[in-house]
């Protein structure tokens, strides 16, 4: 714990703690270097390609392997997306790989009681015994025609996900394949969808931009395309202005031209005020938006405009937006409720428009994943349209297609039991009046992940009797975490597939050790950054350290094989019949072969010489493995300017006919009105206001008198999606996040508030909301807006290993889990968990 930063950088050998507990015959991590100088790397090893999934950027990387040991990770120099660069997260993956606290063999629970303070009393078992126990329970559900009472919970995933996540529950007969995605970012995708019919993460042309507004995001630390943002940020600062809207002085904000320390949840007020200034002062982009027919700007404060007076070009509904929302939304109005000075709002709006079209309004979960954040998401993206930066140079873009193969159709493998089971309502209750949960243009296609806990607890629409979870930890990662603890206690039989024994594992009846995604499996990934989409390989660069299996392919195969032995061969037949090695024509005969065959099958269009490729011309499987990444052609500008958008109007919609149509369909399905749907979703808008970006008052839990501080959180640049807290490097270098401290978990409070509430740096405090309490350390920090308390997400594990916890045996957490004080609520349009925007008020008490 006493390693210095300089010592870390110069070190060539890791501390004994890194490899403590590894058996003598297992490879050990012997060297680590921060430099990319090749002369410092022994020539006896080899660089092998793989993919990091420490965040949703999914960067192509290379791993240096010597004598069967993974020594170092670097960016793949063949990747155009990340410039051959990486952030700190892939380095931390090495410590994850060699973590002595990994699950090493299958285990079964011997203590029937479940609970946070219960010892599961796991004992090791064979894979055969473990899989047999799993399929016995599943076959019981088939015999009782209760297949719908099985659920498959997915966390992170690869391109092979549907082989397991979709095929297993579908062929078995359950509607309940539940993804983690709604606790991650779906509200962020909502805004671009209802305005331009694009449901995905966006790409940003940072290389050519001249202005960036960042909506509660810190792209050099988290969100999307982190390595690209890090490597490009110096150039951005040299050629562009940066405005960061965030109640916390993030790493990005500390270098920005403008820091707007907004009151949490009031981002929408700034959106409307910026749009008001751009229209009132006539500085919108006329090439994209259009203009008044007589050339005179009629947008005046407080005055409605005749729609017939404006002729739009590539957009739809600009005058409706003005009349319904913007005409009275002045910076002076926004300043009163956002806490940002009016003169700064004017300056940002003018500078942003002046840079057009090379300007980016960078939408992120921080502003979107709020109870009423859907319209902030919509509005922040609409600003890109106002300045003409949609699909434009220096602006916000989509990305080219990465042609991964889809899994073969499943319908012919469904028997009558499966068909009947699939017809049941999903356990997350999507489709009910309060959850339109639309995605990709379809109602009820989105997932309401966090609501699954309530569905289980209330047995609504039915009771869940068995579940399998992989690469997930909902007990830790979902708001209102205590609900998940109770829900997991209630599930009679739970199987957890995991690398580390996480909080979710403590409720498992069977634990199955998973291979580490970066180092120990075959797989294929697609992503985009730097205006380049790509498909990237994962390969077992080393032999698996322990008796682990690949979650989405190998374990699925073993389950299918076991089913077949028990008289239900449909899943096994599907795997055997439908997946053939496109290179050799052979079919898999065991789980390891299936992992490779499936990867080759899914990635065929990237490397098969017979396939036409709109990108790199890779001509064999081995070449793809060696190169490690297929790059699509650079994303073109203005593609949909010419082709038209896929919206209801075929234009970019400020007044969203697309949203209106979805809400109307949902309302009719419930024999009610759109206004009643809006009420059920906790939105304020009624009538046409519901179809334009607009300001909504944020909802907070807790009375201000009892809970005086607004709580908000952020992500760490060292956080591998909550999976790196059991590494010494994560804890030792936690102070890389502005305001944080190494080996501690601090709540950052402005000195003004510290004085007001009688606390100082180093004080241990109890932080309480209406949801619950945690214990952390106070940090006096000017980088927090007064009236707000800020804390990083990622600490507070009570089960993950000896580093993540203060006392693993006694389940004493290192710090506090934010999700134990954040109440459970939603951005209901998308079904996303509301975890930002100051949803919770808190009080602090010295311990």
């Amino acid at each position: 714990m006493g390693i210095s930063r300089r010592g870390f950088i110069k070190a060539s050998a890791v501390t004994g703690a890194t490899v403590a507990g590894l058996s003598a015959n297992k490879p050990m991590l012997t060297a680590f270097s921060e430099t990319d100088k090749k002369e410092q790397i022994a020539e006896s090893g080899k660089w092998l390609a793989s993919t990091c999934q420490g965040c949703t950027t999914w960067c192509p990387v290379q791993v240096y392997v010597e004598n069967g040991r993974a020594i170092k990770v670097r960016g793949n120099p063949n990747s155009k997306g990340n410039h051959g660069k990486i952030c700190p997260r892939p380095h931390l993956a090495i410590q994850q790989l060699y973590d002595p606290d990994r699950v090493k063999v299958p285990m079964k629970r011997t203590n029937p009681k479940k609970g946070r303070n219960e010892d599961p009393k796991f004992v090791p078992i064979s894979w055969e015994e473990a899989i047999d126990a799993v399929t016995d329970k599943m076959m019981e559900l088939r015999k009782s025609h209760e297949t719908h009472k099985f659920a498959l919970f997915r966390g992170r995933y690869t391109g092979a996900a549907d082989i397991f996540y979709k095929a297993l529950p579908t062929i078995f007969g359950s509607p309940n394949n539940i993804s983690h995605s709604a606790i991650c970012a779906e509200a962020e995708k909502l805004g671009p969808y209802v305005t331009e019919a694009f449901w995905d993460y966006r790409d940003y042309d940072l290389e050519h931009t001249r202005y960036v507004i960042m909506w509660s995001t810190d792209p050099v630390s988290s969100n999307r395309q982190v390595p690209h943002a890090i490597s490009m940020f110096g150039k951005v600062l040299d050629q562009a202005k940066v405005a960061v809207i965030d109640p916390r002085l993030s790493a990005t904000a500390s270098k920005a031209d403008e820091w707007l320390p907004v009151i949490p949840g009031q981002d929408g007020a700034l959106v409307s005020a910026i749009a008001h200034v751009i229209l009132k002062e006539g500085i919108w982009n006329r090439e994209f938006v259009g203009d008044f027919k007589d050339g005179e700007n009629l947008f005046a404060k407080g005055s409605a405009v005749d729609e017939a007076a404006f002729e739009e070009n590539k957009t739809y509904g600009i005058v409706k937006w003005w009349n319904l929302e913007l005409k009275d939304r002045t910076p002076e109005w926004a300043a009163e409720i956002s806490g940002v000075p009016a003169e700064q709002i004017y300056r940002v709006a003018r500078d942003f428009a002046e840079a057009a079209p090379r300007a980016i309004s960078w939408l992120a979960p921080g502003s979107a994943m709020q109870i009423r954040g859907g319209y902030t998401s919509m509005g922040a993206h609409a600003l890109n349209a106002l300045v003409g930066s949609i699909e434009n140079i220096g602006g916000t873009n989509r990305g080219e297609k990465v042609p991964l193969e889809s899994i073969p159709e499943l319908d012919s493998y469904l028997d009558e039991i499966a068909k009947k089971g699939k017809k049941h309502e999903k356990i997350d209750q999507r489709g009910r009046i309060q959850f339109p949960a639309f995605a990709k243009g379809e109602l009820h296609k989105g997932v309401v992940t966090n609501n699954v806990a309530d569905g289980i607890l209330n047995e609504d629409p039915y009771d869940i009797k068995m579940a399998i979870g992989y690469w997930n930890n909902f007990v830790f990662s979902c708001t209102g975490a205590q609900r998940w603890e109770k829900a997991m206690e209630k599930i009679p039989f739970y199987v957890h597939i995991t690398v580390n024994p996480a909080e979710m594992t403590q409720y498992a009846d069977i634990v199955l050790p998973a291979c580490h995604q970066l180092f120990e499996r075959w797989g294929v990934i697609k992503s985009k950054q730097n205006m380049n989409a790509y498909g990237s390989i994962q390969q077992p660069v080393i032999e698996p350290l322990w008796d682990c299996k690949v979650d989405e392919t190998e374990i699925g195969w073993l389950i299918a094989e076991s089913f077949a032995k028990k008289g239900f061969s449909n899943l096994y037949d599907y795997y055997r019949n439908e997946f053939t090695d496109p290179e050799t024509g052979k079919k898999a005969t065991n789980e390891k072969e299936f992992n490779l065959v499936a990867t080759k099958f899914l990635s065929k269009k990237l490397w098969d010489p017979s396939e036409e490729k709109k990108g790199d011309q890779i001509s064999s499987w081995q070449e793809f493995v060696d190169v490690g990444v297929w790059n699509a052609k650079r994303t073109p500008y203005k593609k949909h300017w010419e082709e038209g958008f896929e919206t209801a109007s075929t234009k970019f919609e400020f007044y969203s006919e697309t949203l209106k149509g979805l809400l109307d369909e949902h309302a009719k399905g419930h024999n009610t009105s759109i206004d009643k749907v809006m009420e059920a979703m906790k939105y304020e808008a009624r009538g046409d206001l519901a179809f334009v970006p607009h300001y909504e008052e944020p909802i907070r839990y807790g009375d201000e008198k009892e809970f005086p501080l607004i709580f908000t959180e952020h992500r760490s640049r060292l956080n591998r999606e909550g999976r790196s807290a059991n590494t010494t490097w994560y804890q030792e270098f936690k102070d890389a996040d502005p305001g944080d401290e190494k080996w501690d978990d601090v709540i950052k409070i402005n000195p003004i508030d510290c004085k007001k509430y009688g606390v100082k740096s180093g004080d241990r405090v109890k932080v309480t909301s209406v949801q619950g309490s945690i214990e952390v350390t106070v940090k006096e920090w000017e980088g927090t807006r007064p009236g707000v308390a800020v804390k990083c997400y990622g600490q507070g594990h009570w089960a993950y290993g000896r580093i993540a916890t203060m006392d693993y045996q006694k389940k004493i957490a290192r710090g506090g889990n934010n999700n134990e004080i954040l109440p459970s609520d939603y951005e209901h349009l998308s079904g996303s968990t509301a975890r930002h925007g100051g949803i919770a008020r808190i009080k602090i008490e010295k311990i």
Side-chain angles (χ1 to χ4, degrees):
M1 298 183 187
I3 303 174
S4 67
R5 188 177 300 274
R6 182 175 180 178
F8 171 75
I9 295 172
K10 295 176 66 178
S12 62
V14 300
T15 65
T18 308
V19 295
L22 293 178
S23 61
N25 64 340
K26 293 293 181 183
M28 296 170 63
L29 177 60
T30 59
F32 182 87
S33 171
E34 274 291 82
T35 179
D36 281 330
K37 294 182 180 179
K38 294 181 179 179
E39 62 270 18
Q40 296 193 13
I41 298 295
E43 294 298 326
S44 57
K46 186 177 182 180
W47 288 104
L48 298 174
S50 192
T51 306
C52 175
Q53 288 187 267
C55 75
T56 52
T57 310
W58 294 353
C59 283
V61 300
Q62 291 181 331
V63 182
Y64 191 77
V65 179
E66 185 174 11
N67 296 327
R69 304 180 181 104
I71 304 298
K72 176 181 170 62
V73 183
R74 71 180 182 187
N76 189 330
N78 301 309
S79 171
K80 297 177 181 178
N82 64 345
H83 317 273
K85 305 296 183 183
I86 53 175
C87 74
R89 292 181 177 90
H91 298 302
L92 291 168
I94 296 179
Q95 282 204 325
Q96 283 185 301
L97 173 66
Y98 293 104
D99 185 349
D101 293 328
R102 281 183 60 176
V103 179
K104 301 174 178 65
V105 297
M107 300 185 295
K108 71 175 180 181
R109 184 185 204 92
T110 60
N111 178 10
K113 295 181 179 180
K114 295 184 179 182
R116 181 166 181 163
N117 296 315
E118 291 290 342
D119 183 353
K121 297 184 179 178
F122 290 127
V123 296
I125 56 175
S126 67
W127 272 98
E128 183 178 9
E129 181 181 352
I131 296 297
D132 194 52
V134 173
T135 55
D136 275 350
K137 291 294 183 181
M138 295 183 74
M139 289 302 290
E140 288 177 13
L141 293 178
R142 283 190 64 82
K143 290 175 184 177
S144 62
H145 292 259
E146 294 181 301
T147 55
H148 59 288
K149 296 185 177 182
F150 166 79
L152 179 58
F153 302 146
R154 179 183 78 177
R156 189 48 67 207
Y157 55 90
T158 74
D162 283 350
I163 290 174
F164 190 54
Y165 174 70
K166 185 177 181 179
L168 172 60
T170 299
I171 293 175
F172 178 71
S174 174
N176 292 313
N177 52 342
I178 303 296
S179 172
H180 83 296
S181 57
I183 65 172
C184 180
E186 298 307 270
E188 177 186 347
K189 301 174 185 176
L190 174 67
Y193 183 77
V194 300
T195 52
E196 61 166 302
F198 175 59
W199 185 275
D200 201 351
Y201 302 128
R202 290 147 311 288
D203 198 356
Y204 298 105
D205 189 12
L206 291 175
E207 182 180 1
H208 301 108
T209 197
R210 294 294 181 267
Y211 203 99
V212 186
I213 300 177
M214 296 180 177
W215 295 93
S216 293
T217 185
D218 184 14
V220 301
S221 298
S222 62
N223 200 238
R224 319 297 163 211
Q225 48 183 256
V226 177
H228 171 52
I230 291 173
S231 61
M232 192 61 65
F233 201 58
K235 179 178 175 63
V236 170
L237 292 176
D238 286 343
Q239 70 186 22
K241 290 184 178 180
V242 176
V244 176
I245 299 168
D246 199 321
R248 172 186 74 107
L249 185 68
S250 64
T252 305
S254 70
K255 301 294 184 181
D257 299 271
E258 305 271 2
W259 176 36
L260 292 76
V262 65
I263 296 172
Q266 298 289 8
D267 312 65
L270 296 179
V271 167
S272 292
I274 290 170
H276 174 95
V277 172
I278 290 172
L279 292 177
K280 178 178 176 294
E281 298 189 0
I283 49 178
W284 68 86
N285 182 280
R286 284 160 174 77
E287 181 188 10
F288 189 72
V289 179
D291 202 358
F292 286 99
K293 293 176 180 178
D294 62 4
E296 180 185 356
N297 182 14
L298 300 180
F299 293 126
K301 175 186 173 182
S303 298
V305 172
D306 181 2
E307 291 182 39
F310 197 100
E311 185 173 357
E312 292 188 77
N313 193 1
K314 308 296 182 182
T315 67
Y316 174 86
I318 185 66
V319 176
K320 281 187 172 72
W321 188 22
W322 173 265
N323 290 341
L324 289 165
E325 166 66 10
L326 299 180
K327 60 184 176 62
D328 299 311
R329 301 307 200 190
T330 65
E332 289 78 12
W333 162 82
E336 288 292 321
I337 57 178
S338 70
V340 176
E343 58 269 24
Q344 190 175 30
I345 300 172
Y346 277 111
R347 185 168 62 246
V348 169
R350 290 162 179 163
D351 290 351
F352 179 67
E354 184 181 351
R358 301 184 183 217
I360 294 168
S361 175
W362 190 311
L363 172 61
S367 58
M369 294 191 72
Q370 305 174 14
I371 298 173
R372 292 171 170 166
Y375 290 100
T376 305
S377 171
M378 188 180 180
H381 189 56
L383 293 179
N384 288 307
L386 277 185
V387 299
S389 68
I390 301 291
E391 296 188 348
N392 213 338
I393 184 170
T396 175
N397 290 269
R398 297 192 179 191
E400 291 297 273
K401 182 179 180 181
V402 178
L404 296 186
E405 190 64 75
S406 299
I407 66 168
E409 64 86 20
L410 299 164
D411 289 349
S412 60
Y413 293 89
L414 273 62
D415 61 15
E416 290 306 312
I417 294 175
K419 290 177 182 177
K420 183 178 179 181
K422 281 285 293 177
K423 291 180 180 178
H424 283 81
E425 183 182 359
K426 288 179 179 281
I427 191 65
D428 66 350
Q429 302 174 357
R430 73 185 76 171
R432 296 192 181 183
I433 187 170
Q434 72 272 30
F435 290 126
F438 58 80
K440 300 180 181 179
E442 294 183 42
L443 279 173
H444 318 152
K445 192 177 181 66
V447 61
V448 194
T449 312
N450 204 9
N451 199 51
V452 170
D454 294 317
I456 293 171
L457 288 170
N458 299 325
E459 298 186 6
D460 182 12
Y462 42 75
D463 56 320
I464 292 294
K465 291 188 173 181
M466 180 184 173
I468 296 175
Y470 76 98
W471 214 340
N472 71 322
N473 192 16
F474 296 159
V475 170
F476 182 84
S477 59
C478 287
T479 59
Q482 298 90 338
R483 301 155 41 257
W484 274 98
E485 293 186 30
K486 296 299 180 183
M488 295 308 298
E489 291 176 21
K490 191 175 174 64
I491 297 177
F493 194 83
Y494 178 64
V495 182
H496 200 204
I497 304 168
T498 185
V499 175
N500 273 72
E503 284 75 13
M504 204 88 161
T505 315
Q506 305 305 308
Y507 301 90
D509 297 273
I510 297 290
V511 183
L512 301 177
C515 293
H516 193 288
Q517 61 81 23
L518 198 159
F519 305 101
E520 299 176 320
R521 67 171 292 166
W522 287 107
V524 63
I525 295 294
K526 65 177 180 179
S527 190
K528 58 174 175 272
Q529 53 183 317
N530 188 30
M531 301 290 287
N532 285 278
Y534 51 85
S536 184
I537 193 73
Q538 291 173 316
Q539 63 174 308
V541 299
I542 64 167
E543 288 295 320
L545 293 179
W546 308 109
D547 192 12
C548 57
K549 304 286 185 184
V550 179
D551 40 32
E552 294 168 336
T553 51
E554 292 184 356
I555 293 176
W557 176 279
L558 292 175
I559 290 174
E561 208 171 40
S562 181
F563 276 156
K565 292 176 182 177
K566 295 173 182 178
F568 175 56
S569 65
N570 298 41
L571 184 62
Y572 183 70
D573 292 341
Y574 175 73
Y575 288 160
R576 282 282 295 164
N577 295 342
E578 301 294 342
F579 291 89
T580 302
D581 187 324
E583 191 176 36
T584 67
K586 294 181 179 179
K587 295 182 181 296
T589 61
N590 58 51
E591 73 274 16
K592 290 189 179 297
E593 290 180 5
F594 185 57
N595 181 221
L596 179 57
V597 167
T599 303
K600 294 172 78 172
F601 176 93
L602 294 167
S603 63
K604 175 179 180 290
K605 293 179 181 178
L606 305 183
W607 56 265
D608 191 311
S610 67
E611 297 283 352
E612 181 181 353
K613 303 175 182 67
K614 296 181 179 180
D616 292 350
Q617 297 303 302
I618 297 174
S619 57
S620 71
W621 164 253
Q622 190 57 52
E623 184 182 356
F624 180 47
V625 172
D626 293 341
V627 174
V629 60
W630 174 88
N631 300 285
K633 291 183 178 180
R634 184 176 171 85
T635 304
Y637 299 122
K638 297 186 176 181
K639 180 179 180 180
H640 290 86
W641 288 42
E642 305 302 324
E643 297 179 359
F645 296 94
E646 298 92 341
T647 57
S649 66
T650 73
K651 295 188 175 186
F652 186 99
E653 295 184 341
F654 295 118
Y655 179 93
S656 181
E657 296 285 359
T658 302
L659 175 58
K660 184 178 182 179
L662 287 165
L663 287 175
D664 183 57
E665 181 184 350
H666 183 66
K668 287 177 179 176
H670 290 276
N671 297 312
T672 190
S673 66
I674 292 176
D675 282 353
K676 288 295 184 183
V677 171
M678 296 298 292
E679 181 181 358
M681 295 190 300
K682 300 185 180 181
Y683 276 109
E684 295 177 305
R686 302 292 183 267
D688 279 352
L689 187 61
F691 314 130
V692 299
H694 64 272
Y695 169 76
E696 298 243 355
E697 182 70 23
I699 294 175
R700 307 196 198 282
Y701 282 81
D703 181 80
E704 184 175 359
K705 292 181 180 179
E706 183 179 359
F707 303 99
L709 291 171
I710 299 173
F711 179 79
T712 189
E713 65 170 16
H714 64 95
R715 295 314 191 243
S716 170
R717 69 178 61 197
L718 304 181
N719 194 340
R720 288 181 56 81
E721 296 202 313
R723 300 179 182 94
S724 49
N726 204 52
T727 68
T728 54
W729 292 336
Y730 175 89
Q731 302 292 348
E732 176 64 19
F733 298 98
K734 192 64 186 64
D735 56 353
D737 297 310
D740 280 4
E741 297 289 333
K742 61 181 66 177
W743 292 97
D744 205 349
D745 189 21
V746 299
I747 187 162
K748 299 177 280 285
I749 303 173
N750 190 281
I752 295 171
D753 292 320
C754 286
K755 184 177 181 181
K756 183 177 181 179
Y757 300 114
V759 295
K760 62 182 184 303
S761 289
D763 285 348
R764 293 290 295 173
V765 293
K766 181 180 180 182
V767 179
T768 302
S769 71
V770 296
Q771 176 63 36
S773 299
I774 58 175
E775 294 182 4
V776 294
T777 304
V778 170
K779 174 68 177 288
E780 296 181 69
W781 196 52
E782 293 87 348
T784 300
R785 178 188 176 88
V788 176
V790 178
K791 183 178 168 300
C792 190
Y793 168 79
Q795 299 280 44
H797 281 285
W798 52 268
Y800 210 76
R802 71 195 74 182
I803 304 299
T805 58
M806 294 295 289
D807 189 320
Y808 181 62
Q809 297 299 322
K810 296 180 180 179
K811 298 182 175 63
I812 299 175
R814 184 182 298 281
N817 179 8
N818 296 358
N819 288 323
E820 294 183 18
I821 59 173
L822 287 171
S824 172
D825 210 331
Y826 306 90
E827 194 294 305
H828 289 78
L829 284 165
S830 61
S832 293
T833 291
R835 53 182 168 88
H836 293 298
I839 181 176
R841 287 188 169 275
I842 62 168
K843 62 181 177 182
I844 55 174
E845 303 166 279
K846 288 180 67 173
I847 299 174

